[in-house]
């Protein structure tokens, strides 16, 4: 019999029961549901709604149920609909009618958003930790490969030489923003919703602040209707996760390119690549392709949640039950993706020779020639035109910039002097880009120093929000 069966003449049709149940997926919230119930039971006694003895019975019954679920001894029954009722029914079975007092001044509508918030806070910290660990890997890889140069690209055409570490650091700073977005999302999630009692609040003298501090929340929600209808924090998380997987996917795409024979910039560790069932020679970057591919489902989960919310009248509607699977799927998808790409980057070797060879061809130092003339007082547009002519001439004669003599250069502009013969050097080019954030070793060193500071402050935040369970 349902806990809510009083006003019904018939049992629920099996197909309705199965269609409406969320137990299969919301049972992963059991820890949070029980933690919420224990805090609620404590509060009910504190304000005198139930006796201390009754509260103690509720709390020890709940703790026992916790242990049973945790050890796999609890038997779930889909007829209970969701994790809240599964636990409440088990409590009543265990401690008798006093178990029925637990639901005083609360509703499942409050419970589910509480459970989700408690669960998500922990997951945010876990994911933020993975981001920080990945950033540390990137930073370490930069230190190892600091002087290695590669072509920087625009439009996937060789543009200017850069340091490989400069390129990796670009991802470090993307991940810093991802970390900060998750921090903001944590703040949004860190609001205690219990006490809405379905939607309108309650006539019982509940102490919401007490429950909030018992459960480690920073504050209580301000409006009972908003409290049970709000899933903005889920959208914020899904949106943060979407940007995070976007960044991982861009890097994954680069790994696919770099490890191809066409680029040959990196060699993946054999333990991270996968073979072909038909072509014996193949060594494929499947993990990177899957990270790229998994962005689809994470974006989809964000779209699904936004669509569920759009047009929902206040307050709770059962549509909101659709918040969970996409959220769980996103969490389950993003965590291994961060770990996998991190360990692949850590273990891959870079082929400096190939990268530097590629950086030194296709006139990638042409901008340096133009900048040289500008420093002699020629307007940039005119200098650009002159160097364009030089490049055109080289292409026609199948020559590289490094093959030009000073006379060749002087044919295009008298402002070229002997020192211009060094302009083709990719090292000189890289070394010269000393502007803050630039690719010169000195600028990259500053970025690395900044990355160390960022890692420290991330560690600090994580240590104040550590979760053990
Ligand atoms: N399983 C529901 C959910 O996930 C629980 C909330 C309350 N259900 C209800 N019929 N009021 O949202």
């Amino acid at each position: 019999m349902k806990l809510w069966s009083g006003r019904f003449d018939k049992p629920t049709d099996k197909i309705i029961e199965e269609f409406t149940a969320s137990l299969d997926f919301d049972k992963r919230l059991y820890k949070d549901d029980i933690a919420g119930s224990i805090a609620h039971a404590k509060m009910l006694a504190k304000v005198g709604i139930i006796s201390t003895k009754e509260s103690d019975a509720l709390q020890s019954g709940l703790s026992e149920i916790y242990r049973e679920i945790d050890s796999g001894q609890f038997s779930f029954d889909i007829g209970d609909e969701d994790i809240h009722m599964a636990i409440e029914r088990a409590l009543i079975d265990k401690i008798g009618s006093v178990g029925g007092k637990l639901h005083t001044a609360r509703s499942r509508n409050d419970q589910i958003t509480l459970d989700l918030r408690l669960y998500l806070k922990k997951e945010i910290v876990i994911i933020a930790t993975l981001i920080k660990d990945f950033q540390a890997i990137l930073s370490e890889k930069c230190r190892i490969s600091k002087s290695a140069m590669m072509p920087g690209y625009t439009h996937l055409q060789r543009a200017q030489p850069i340091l490989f570490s400069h390129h990796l650091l670009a991802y470090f700073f993307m991940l810093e923003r991802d970390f900060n977005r998750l921090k903001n999302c944590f703040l949004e999630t860190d609001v205690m919703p219990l006490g809405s009692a379905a939607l309108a609040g309650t006539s019982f003298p509940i102490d919401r602040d007490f429950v909030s501090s018992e459960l480690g929340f920073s504050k209580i929600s301000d409006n009972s209707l908003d409290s049970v209808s709000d899933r903005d924090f889920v959208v914020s998380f899904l949106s943060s996760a979407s940007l995070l997987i976007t960044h991982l996917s861009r890097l994954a795409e680069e790994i696919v390119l770099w490890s191809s024979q066409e680029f040959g910039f990196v060699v993946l560790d054999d333990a991270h690549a996968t073979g072909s069932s038909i072509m014996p020679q193949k060594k494929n970057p499947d993990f990177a392709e899957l990270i790229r591919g998994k962005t689809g489902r994470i974006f989809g989960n964000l779209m699904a949640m936004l669509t569920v919310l759009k047009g929902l009248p206040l307050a709770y509607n059962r549509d909101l039950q659709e918040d969970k699977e996409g959220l769980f799927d996103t969490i389950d998808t993003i965590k291994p993706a961060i770990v996998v790409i991190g360990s692949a980057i850590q273990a891959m070797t870079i082929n400096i020779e190939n990268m530097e060879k590629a950086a030194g061809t296709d006139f990638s130092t042409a901008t340096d020639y133009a900048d040289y003339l500008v420093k002699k007082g020629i307007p940039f547009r005119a200098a650009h035109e002159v160097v364009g002519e030089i490049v055109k001439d080289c292409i026609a004669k199948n020559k590289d910039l490094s093959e030009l003599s000073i006379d060749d250069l002087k044919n295009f502009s008298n402002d070229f002097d002997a020192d211009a013969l060094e302009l083709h050097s990719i090292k000189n080019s890289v070394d010269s880009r000393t502007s803050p954030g630039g690719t010169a070793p000195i600028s990259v060193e500053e970025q690395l120093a900044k990355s160390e500071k960022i890692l420290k402050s991330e560690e600090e935040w994580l240590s104040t929000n550590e979760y053990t369970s």
Side-chain angles (χ1 to χ4, degrees):
M1 212 173 55
K2 306 280 184 213
L3 291 178
W4 41 252
S5 64
R7 64 97 64 220
F8 292 87
D9 283 333
K10 281 181 173 181
T12 318
D13 193 318
K14 261 271 154 277
I15 58 165
I16 297 295
E17 191 166 271
E18 277 170 19
F19 188 72
T20 54
S22 53
L23 188 55
D24 266 353
F25 49 87
D26 67 15
K27 62 181 169 208
R28 79 154 84 183
L29 299 170
Y30 74 92
K31 282 185 189 173
D32 311 291
D33 199 73
I34 291 175
S37 289
I38 289 177
H40 183 69
K42 275 190 196 165
M43 183 277 291
L44 289 177
K46 179 179 177 282
V47 300
I49 297 172
I50 60 172
S51 71
T52 308
K53 204 169 148 225
E54 288 169 328
S55 175
D56 289 347
L58 292 174
Q59 289 177 55
S60 61
L62 286 163
S63 301
E64 227 173 279
I65 293 167
Y66 175 88
R67 282 190 293 274
E68 284 168 20
I69 302 179
D70 219 36
S71 60
Q73 284 161 1
F74 190 90
S75 67
F76 287 104
D77 176 0
I78 193 98
D80 280 333
E81 210 176 301
D82 56 32
I83 187 65
H84 325 297
M85 288 211 293
I87 290 169
E88 194 182 334
R89 169 196 294 288
L91 184 66
I92 294 168
D93 287 351
K94 202 176 276 296
I95 66 169
S97 62
V98 65
K101 294 204 170 190
L102 177 65
H103 214 52
T104 313
R106 77 168 190 183
S107 127
R108 283 186 293 155
N109 303 350
D110 314 22
Q111 275 182 281
I112 186 54
T113 177
L114 173 86
D115 295 3
L116 268 191
R117 285 174 185 272
L118 282 173
Y119 179 81
L120 188 56
K121 277 174 65 182
K122 286 181 281 189
E123 291 296 337
I124 287 174
V125 172
I126 293 170
I127 296 168
T129 306
L130 295 176
I131 293 178
K132 187 264 298 164
D133 292 346
F134 180 32
Q135 286 177 295
I137 290 174
L138 287 175
S139 167
E140 176 60 19
K141 197 79 180 171
C142 288
R143 294 221 173 269
I144 300 168
S145 55
K146 214 156 48 177
S147 61
M149 291 175 287
M150 68 179 282
Y153 294 86
T154 64
H155 314 272
L156 203 59
Q157 307 284 323
R158 287 172 193 163
Q160 290 176 354
I162 56 170
L163 289 185
F164 178 68
S165 50
H166 189 213
H167 194 110
L168 284 190
L169 277 167
Y171 286 98
F172 182 99
F173 291 108
M174 290 178 223
L175 291 164
E176 184 208 3
R177 296 195 293 277
D178 290 320
F179 190 99
N180 288 336
R181 262 186 289 273
L182 283 179
K183 256 169 77 175
N184 285 333
C185 180
F186 184 94
L187 289 180
E188 225 180 298
T189 309
D190 192 17
V191 179
M192 207 293 293
L194 276 193
S196 303
L199 76 159
T202 177
S203 58
F204 290 102
I206 58 171
D207 185 343
R208 299 189 61 211
D209 287 315
F210 172 79
V211 176
S212 179
S213 81
E214 280 291 300
L215 293 170
F217 282 99
S218 297
K219 58 174 187 177
I220 61 170
S221 57
D222 293 316
N223 177 296
S224 59
L225 294 164
D226 183 34
S227 204
V228 287
S229 324
D230 169 27
R231 293 295 183 276
D232 293 5
F233 65 101
V234 177
V235 171
S236 289
F237 173 78
L238 295 174
S239 140
S240 306
S242 294
L243 266 172
L244 171 56
I245 193 88
T246 299
H247 294 152
L248 300 186
S249 179
R250 292 180 80 170
L251 181 52
E253 166 65 10
E254 306 227 60
I255 291 172
V256 171
L257 290 172
W258 292 344
S259 62
S260 70
Q261 282 76 22
E262 279 68 16
F263 278 74
F265 289 180
V266 302
V267 180
L268 295 175
D269 192 286
D270 271 4
H272 293 134
T274 24
S276 156
S277 60
I278 174 171
M279 296 166 282
Q281 86 285 11
K282 291 303 293 291
K283 178 174 168 184
N284 298 325
D286 289 35
F287 77 86
E289 295 161 64
L290 276 168
I291 288 169
R292 212 171 48 185
K294 283 175 191 291
T295 56
R297 71 161 74 197
I298 290 186
F299 293 177
N301 292 335
L302 170 63
M303 284 308 125
M305 190 70 242
L306 285 168
T307 312
V308 165
L309 291 178
K310 177 196 167 294
L312 273 195
L314 297 185
Y316 180 85
N317 299 271
R318 194 61 177 270
D319 315 44
L320 291 172
Q321 181 167 294
E322 287 293 312
D323 57 3
K324 279 172 277 302
E325 286 156 293
L327 175 66
F328 296 158
D329 179 57
T330 297
I331 291 169
D332 295 345
T333 304
I334 203 112
K335 288 197 291 192
I338 309 170
V339 174
V340 160
I341 200 161
S343 48
I345 295 232
Q346 190 168 38
M348 75 187 186
T349 45
I350 56 170
N351 189 329
I352 298 179
E353 203 184 316
N354 280 354
M355 289 197 305
E356 295 190 350
K357 204 169 124 206
T361 50
D362 291 310
F363 313 103
S364 63
T365 52
T367 317
D368 299 81
Y369 287 76
D371 289 348
Y372 176 95
L373 294 175
V374 169
K375 284 169 194 159
K376 298 268 168 139
I378 297 179
F380 181 77
R381 270 299 139 234
H384 187 288
E385 187 66 22
V386 168
V387 181
E389 295 288 337
I390 298 175
V391 169
K392 190 161 70 179
D393 193 55
C394 282
I395 292 171
K397 295 177 177 150
N398 198 19
K399 270 185 162 179
D400 185 69
L401 290 171
S402 60
E403 296 168 63
L404 300 180
S405 68
I406 188 61
D407 290 338
D408 292 336
L409 288 172
K410 277 195 179 293
N411 277 341
F412 292 92
S413 167
N414 237 335
D415 286 298
F416 282 118
D417 289 313
D419 57 346
L421 293 176
E422 301 302 315
L423 288 171
H424 67 85
S425 148
I426 57 169
K427 183 166 184 323
N428 288 349
S429 170
V430 165
D431 286 353
S432 70
R433 284 174 165 67
T434 54
S435 52
T439 205
I442 189 174
S443 300
V444 170
E445 195 52 58
E446 274 166 22
Q447 292 165 54
L448 270 172
K450 179 133 196 230
S451 79
E452 298 300 329
K453 279 204 190 120
I454 290 166
L455 283 172
K456 277 221 173 64
S457 85
E458 289 178 354
E459 265 158 28
E460 257 165 51
W461 185 80
L462 289 168
S463 69
T464 56
N465 290 290
E466 229 159 23
Y467 285 98
T468 41
S469 66

